[in-house]
């Protein structure tokens, strides 16, 4: 059968036969209607509640059979008609073949590869994130039906991008907890679908928690003990995971390799059982990062025996081991009395329930809700167009002197395209990617608008010498405009590879400066990177007229870059991370997890706490038009209902900070109406960021400001749109004290919406007396 993305040349009859055959390619996982020994068993009865079906199935399994289901490559149980299953698939920004559960080939040669998450996060567009999730899950289900993928995807990565050197920061939605949590909830909803308790695919938020070091200065993720305060855990590191579970209703959470305060996360009942499942109410399973259980036994030496490690993990709340460890040692842990079989049953309840919610015990896949999805639904034109749109929305315009951009196809007929990333393809999809449907490189994209003169200037991003500078300078001298496409790739920042600094690698800076000096026309810099780059030199160079940050823009990245450069699309992205100067890293250990600055020269982390100089701030991003904000309506005083207490003043009203648990939160929110006027000559989509600064903002432990909400609004030229903004008081205007307790500061909060500032005063309104 031809490996092609288009089936249009096939006859209608053959297409129907192919689709039917593709859907039949997936063997029935369990409860096969043709299997007379199992089809009438209670766990196969779709009319029974899933809870009853799971209980019936577990009751039929031996201990050894149960243990064989505790690992990612779960073994078949032929005795009850269950086939083997590979739990590990990835879908960070498109269906990926990183995990063994997914493979490309045959009628599935590739899948739509969206921009890397850090780029998509820059769109600040929750509806886009959910739409991408829907497309990815369509393609995942189609590949599952064709026997080429699983239904459990260990994505998204919602760790906080705390230190700019982190190699995996590109996988995350950035440095802000609310942004990361909103991304998590939206993408998960898109992946998992909206069919009640049923799942389209099962998503997984990872890596819980305080995981953001891979390999820095001799410290790796397998041995790192993250020393984290209760305050930072509550108000930073755990926020995206809490939102993912409570708002996104994610079906899985992955614990990380590292220890937190001396305890491996995958063996910590306070994190897994008490917090994720107890406080947040996870309806799903908890999985280890791959070989994490083996790591905390073999590398961290947390337990004396492997059986103790297996017992500790399962009793802490781990349900599934990515790796062989639990499969090898759990049965002996039970025999030695370290673990009860009921503990194993509890883990299986969580994994089997998710499989049943996915329909894996409902018989023939083709007869189910998503059973008709097939090859025609992978890489379809609408999906590829969304990948292009996502890249356009995520690209950030950092600088535009003049303005020089957009370029004109009439005035800039010849463009020199220079730089080590100028004609890349695979670089654009970053890591945890699959095989793309096809690529448009920057050179190809620009070539659709102008005649191009192409020179690399550097052989690769390492740019170890200047031997190719000459031809690049000649190209710049001849062209009407010069576009330099430079930056990083997976050789510089990746899983297991943290950066050592923030400057451009090798001789890239020298290349940029010399090309800009030689260029006949305007010079535009386009940066590909996940993490921030100190490009102060380019920001301050008057010969460099414009700067774009493209992140890793996905399969259609080159087309999106060109559309922005030539004005077919109007940029609207905003930086999801602070861009620090190289000096920021002076004496700054990646291993210091503190978010807040200290009095001994520690600068603090992210825009919420760092007050020093930046190259570009969080939320920075220009556009080809101009938007003006006006506050149409907003309250100046909001009463917060508070329960009184018989014993003591535990609400701490006298100190003007009320415990969230003592307030009657409900739907207590502040509603703003903001008029956004486009006073420019181009239609544009505006990213409305709303920050709040709490009272006593001068205190070190209080954020100087924090993002509370954001909206995306399209405004035609010379017109106005009114945007309604809701700010949940308890969730978004609260702060966390040094004991890790979330409180609502009474007094005047300052809301920042672009250049507009509005003060709103919160005051406590005491209700009936309750016991402390």
């Amino acid at each position: 059968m031809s490996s092609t993305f288009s089936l249009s040349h096939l006859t209608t009859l053959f297409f129907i036969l192919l689709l039917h055959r593709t859907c039949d390619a997936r063997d029935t996982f369990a409860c096969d209607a043709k299997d007379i020994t199992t089809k009438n068993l209670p766990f196969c009865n779709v009319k029974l509640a899933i809870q009853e079906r799971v209980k019936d199935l577990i009751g039929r399994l031996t201990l050894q059979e149960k243990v064989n289901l505790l690992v990612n490559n779960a073994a078949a149980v032929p005795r009850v008609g269950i086939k083997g299953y590979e739990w590990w698939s990835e879908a960070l920004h498109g269906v990926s073949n990183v995990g063994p559960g997914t493979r490309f080939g045959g009628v599935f040669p590739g899948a739509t590869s969206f921009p890397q998450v850090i780029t998509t996060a820059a769109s600040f567009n929750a509806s886009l994130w959910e739409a991408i999730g829907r497309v990815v899950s369509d393609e995942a289900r189609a590949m599952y039906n064709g026997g080429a993928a699983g239904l459990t995807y260990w994505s998204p990565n919602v760790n906080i991008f705390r230190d700019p050197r982190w190699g995996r920061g590109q996988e995350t939605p950035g440095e802000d907890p609310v942004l990361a949590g909103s991304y998590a909830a939206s993408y998960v909803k898109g992946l998992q679908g909206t069919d009640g308790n049923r799942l389209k695919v099962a998503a997984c938020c990872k890596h819980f928690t305080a995981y953001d070091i891979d390999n820095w200065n001799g410290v790796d993720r397998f041995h790192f003990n993250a020393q984290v305060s209760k305050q930072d855990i509550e108000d930073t590191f755990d926020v995206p995971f809490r939102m993912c579970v409570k708002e996104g209703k994610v079906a899985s959470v992955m614990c990380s390799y590292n220890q937190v305060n001396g305890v491996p996360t995958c063996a910590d009942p306070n994190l897994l059982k008490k917090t994720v499942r107890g406080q947040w109410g996870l309806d799903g399973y908890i999985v280890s990062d791959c070989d994490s259980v083996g790591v905390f036994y073999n590398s961290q030496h947390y337990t004396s025996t492997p059986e103790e490690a297996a017992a500790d993990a399962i009793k802490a709340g781990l349900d599934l081991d990515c790796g062989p460890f639990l499969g090898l040692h759990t049965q002996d842990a039970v025999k030695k009395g370290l673990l009860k079989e009921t503990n194993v049953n509890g883990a299986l309840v969580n994994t089997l329930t998710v499989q049943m919610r996915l329909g894996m015990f409902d018989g023939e896949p083709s007869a189910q809700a998503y059973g008709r999805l097939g090859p025609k639904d992978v890489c379809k034109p609408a999906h590829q167009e969304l990948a292009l749109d996502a890249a356009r929305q995520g690209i950030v315009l950092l600088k535009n002197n003049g303005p020089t951009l957009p370029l004109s196809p009439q005035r800039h007929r010849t463009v020199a395209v220079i730089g080590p990333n100028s004609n890349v393809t695979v670089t654009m999809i970053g890591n945890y990617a699959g095989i793309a449907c096809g690529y448009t490189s920057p050179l190809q994209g620009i070539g659709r608008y102008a005649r191009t003169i192409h020179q690399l200037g550097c052989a690769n991003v390492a740019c170890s010498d200047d031997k190719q500078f000459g031809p690049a300078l000649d190209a710049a001298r001849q062209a009407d405009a010069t576009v330099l496409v430079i930056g990083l790739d997976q050789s510089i920042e990746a899983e297991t590879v943290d950066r050592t600094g923030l400057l451009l690698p090798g001789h890239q800076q020298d290349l940029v400066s010399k090309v800009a000096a030689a260029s006949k026309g305007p010079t535009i810099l386009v940066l590909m990177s996940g993490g921030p780059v100190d490009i102060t030199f380019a920001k301050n160079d008057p010969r460099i007229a414009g700067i774009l940050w493209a992140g890793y823009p996905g399969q259609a990245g080159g087309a999106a870059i060109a559309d922005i450069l030539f004005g077919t699309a109007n940029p609207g992205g905003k930086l999801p991370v602070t861009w620090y100067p190289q000096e920021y890293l002076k004496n700054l250990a990646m291993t210091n997890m503190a978010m807040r600055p200290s009095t001994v020269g520690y600068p603090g982390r992210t825009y919420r706490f760092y007050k020093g100089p930046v190259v570009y701030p969080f939320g920075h991003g220009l556009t080809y038009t101009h938007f003006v904000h006006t506050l149409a309506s907003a309250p100046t005083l909001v009463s917060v209902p508070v329960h009184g207490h018989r014993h003591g003043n535990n609400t701490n009203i006298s100190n003007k900070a009320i415990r969230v648990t003592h307030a009657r939160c409900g739907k207590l929110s502040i509603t703003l109406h903001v008029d956004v006027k486009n006073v420019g000559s181009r239609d544009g989509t505006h990213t409305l960021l709303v920050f709040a600064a709490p009272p006593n903002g001068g205190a070190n432990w209080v954020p100087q400001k924090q993002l509370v909400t954001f909206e995306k609004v399209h405004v035609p030229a010379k017109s106005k749109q009114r945007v309604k903004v809701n700010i949940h008081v308890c969730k978004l205007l609260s702060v966390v004290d040094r004991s890790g307790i979330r409180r609502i500061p009474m007094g005047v909060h300052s809301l920042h919406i672009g250049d507009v500032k509005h003060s709103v005063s919160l005051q406590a309104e005491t209700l009936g007396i309750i016991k402390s």
Side-chain angles (χ1 to χ4, degrees), residues 156-178:
N157 177 345
V158 296
N159 291 117
I160 295 296
F161 198 166
R162 175 187 61 90
D163 188 292
R165 293 165 287 192
W166 188 30
R168 300 189 72 178
Q170 60 181 295
E171 301 173 30
T172 76
E175 72 183 37
D176 182 80
V178 170

Side-chain angles (χ1 to χ4, degrees), residues 639-652:
S639 294
V640 179
V642 181
H643 299 293
H645 285 255
R646 290 189 189 279
H647 303 294
N649 187 20
N650 288 337
T651 56
N652 203 13

Side-chain angles (χ1 to χ4, degrees), residues 29-226:
F29 171 73
C31 302
D32 191 334
K34 298 185 287 290
D35 185 349
I36 58 172
T37 62
T38 62
K39 68 176 184 179
N40 294 321
L41 294 177
F43 72 82
C44 292
N45 186 348
V46 296
K47 295 180 180 178
L48 292 178
I50 286 178
Q51 186 178 4
E52 294 180 53
R53 298 170 67 191
V54 169
K55 183 179 179 181
D56 175 75
L57 174 55
I58 291 174
R60 296 174 185 276
L61 302 177
T62 66
L63 176 59
Q64 183 61 61
E65 288 168 338
K66 293 173 184 177
V67 169
N68 289 343
L69 298 178
L70 294 175
V71 292
N72 62 288
N73 56 337
V77 191
R79 194 174 55 81
V80 290
I82 298 175
K83 292 187 170 58
Y85 178 69
E86 177 54 71
W87 284 83
W88 181 7
S89 289
E90 302 278 357
L92 184 68
H93 51 106
V95 178
S96 166
N97 57 353
V98 170
T102 303
R103 61 187 182 276
F104 291 111
V107 293
F108 298 109
T112 308
S113 195
F114 289 90
Q116 181 61 287
V117 176
I118 195 70
T119 308
T120 308
S123 72
F124 283 85
N125 188 345
S127 62
L128 172 67
W129 303 332
E130 188 169 344
I132 292 172
R134 285 195 298 269
V135 166
V136 173
S137 57
D138 272 358
E139 298 196 351
R141 266 285 175 173
M143 292 181 68
Y144 173 78
N145 292 340
L151 289 178
T152 45
Y153 289 84
W154 295 346
S155 307
N157 177 345
V158 296
N159 291 117
I160 295 296
F161 198 166
R162 175 187 61 90
D163 188 292
R165 293 165 287 192
W166 188 30
R168 300 189 72 178
Q170 60 181 295
E171 301 173 30
T172 76
E175 72 183 37
D176 182 80
V178 170
L179 171 61
S182 300
Y183 177 87
S186 298
Y187 188 58
V188 166
K189 286 175 185 175
L191 285 176
Q192 296 190 165
T194 55
D195 187 13
N197 193 44
R198 288 289 178 152
L199 295 167
K200 189 178 180 187
V201 303
C204 173
C205 279
K206 64 185 185 185
H207 314 79
F208 187 70
T209 185
Y211 167 74
D212 52 19
I213 286 180
D214 267 65
N215 193 350
W216 176 83
N217 204 30
V219 178
D220 67 42
R221 57 186 177 168
F222 305 120
H223 298 86
F224 181 53
N225 176 21

Side-chain angles (χ1 to χ4, degrees), residues 152-497:
T152 45
Y153 289 84
W154 295 346
S155 307
N157 177 345
V158 296
N159 291 117
I160 295 296
F161 198 166
R162 175 187 61 90
D163 188 292
R165 293 165 287 192
W166 188 30
R168 300 189 72 178
Q170 60 181 295
E171 301 173 30
T172 76
E175 72 183 37
D176 182 80
V178 170
L179 171 61
S182 300
Y183 177 87
S186 298
Y187 188 58
V188 166
K189 286 175 185 175
L191 285 176
Q192 296 190 165
T194 55
D195 187 13
N197 193 44
R198 288 289 178 152
L199 295 167
K200 189 178 180 187
V201 303
C204 173
C205 279
K206 64 185 185 185
H207 314 79
F208 187 70
T209 185
Y211 167 74
D212 52 19
I213 286 180
D214 267 65
N215 193 350
W216 176 83
N217 204 30
V219 178
D220 67 42
R221 57 186 177 168
F222 305 120
H223 298 86
F224 181 53
N225 176 21
Q227 297 287 337
V228 191
S229 69
K230 291 180 180 178
Q231 188 176 36
D232 286 341
I233 282 278
E234 173 63 29
D235 89 338
T236 299
F237 297 110
D238 280 6
V239 172
F241 292 94
R242 183 173 67 241
M243 292 175 70
C244 186
V245 173
K246 298 188 75 169
E247 297 175 23
K249 310 295 183 188
V250 75
S252 176
V253 168
M254 177 184 285
C255 51
S256 54
Y257 289 116
N258 56 290
Q259 297 184 357
V260 173
N261 299 327
V263 183
T265 63
C266 292
D268 192 338
N270 287 320
L271 289 179
L272 307 187
K273 192 168 282 185
K274 181 181 175 183
T275 303
V276 175
R277 197 169 295 284
Q279 294 176 10
W280 301 344
L282 174 70
D283 182 11
Y285 69 98
I286 297 174
V287 62
S288 74
D289 203 343
C290 294
D291 291 320
S292 284
V293 184
V295 163
F296 78 67
Y297 170 67
N298 291 308
S299 300
Q300 298 172 8
H301 309 297
Y302 184 68
T303 63
S304 300
T305 68
E307 294 80 14
E308 288 172 334
D312 281 2
I314 292 173
K315 288 192 290 187
L318 188 70
D319 303 309
L320 186 71
D321 180 17
C322 177
F325 200 91
L326 291 187
L328 295 172
H329 302 293
T330 300
Q331 191 161 2
D332 286 341
V334 173
K335 288 178 180 177
K336 292 182 177 181
L338 299 170
L339 191 67
K340 295 178 181 177
E341 188 168 351
T342 53
N343 298 126
V344 178
N345 293 348
L348 292 183
V349 165
N350 296 322
T351 53
L352 292 172
T353 296
V354 166
Q355 287 184 311
M356 288 196 181
R357 291 171 63 196
L358 286 163
M360 293 174 66
F361 286 82
D362 294 351
E364 177 60 52
S366 63
Q368 297 177 31
Y370 305 104
R372 301 300 292 171
L373 292 170
K376 65 176 177 50
D377 300 295
V378 180
C379 287
K380 64 197 292 185
H383 294 181
Q384 297 197 57
E385 183 62 32
L386 185 64
L388 172 59
D389 188 44
R392 289 176 181 140
Q393 290 194 41
I395 291 172
V396 181
L397 177 61
L398 297 174
K399 174 183 176 180
N400 190 14
N401 284 359
T404 301
L405 292 173
L407 300 175
S408 164
Q410 287 74 41
R411 286 184 289 111
H412 306 108
R413 295 173 182 269
T414 303
V415 176
V417 184
I418 296 168
N421 282 338
S422 58
N423 197 29
V424 293
T425 52
V426 175
T427 294
M428 298 192 299
I429 62 176
N431 70 351
Y432 277 79
I435 297 174
C437 309
Y439 297 98
T440 304
S441 74
L443 177 65
Q444 290 170 322
I446 294 167
R448 295 173 180 177
Y449 288 93
R451 186 174 74 84
T452 58
I453 308 172
H454 181 229
Q455 291 292 335
L456 285 174
C458 298
N460 50 46
V461 294
C463 199
S464 57
D465 57 54
D466 61 359
K467 292 177 181 176
Q468 298 185 41
F469 280 21
L473 299 181
D474 289 342
R477 293 186 185 104
Q478 299 172 42
D480 299 321
T482 297
V483 176
L484 279 150
V485 193
I486 60 165
L488 314 179
D489 64 15
Q490 301 306 303
S491 69
I492 305 293
E493 54 175 357
E495 187 169 15
T496 74
V497 182

Side-chain angles (χ1 to χ4, degrees), residues 632-677:
S633 67
T636 56
L637 179 67
V638 174
S639 294
V640 179
V642 181
H643 299 293
H645 285 255
R646 290 189 189 279
H647 303 294
N649 187 20
N650 288 337
T651 56
N652 203 13
I653 293 176
S654 62
N655 291 335
K656 297 185 178 178
I658 296 166
R659 282 184 185 231
V660 166
T661 53
H662 292 170
R664 184 178 288 179
C665 293
K667 295 182 179 179
L668 180 65
S669 63
I670 294 172
T671 300
L672 313 176
H673 290 95
V674 182
D675 287 337
V676 179
K677 188 174 184 180

Side-chain angles (χ1 to χ4, degrees), residues 493-534:
E493 54 175 357
E495 187 169 15
T496 74
V497 182
D498 293 327
R499 292 157 68 195
T500 56
L502 302 182
L503 300 175
L504 285 167
H507 293 266
Q508 282 196 50
Q509 179 171 325
D510 195 29
L511 172 68
V512 171
S513 296
K514 287 181 176 176
V515 166
S519 182
K520 180 178 77 170
T523 299
I524 310 300
L525 192 62
V526 177
L527 274 162
M528 285 190 198
S529 72
V533 182
D534 182 354

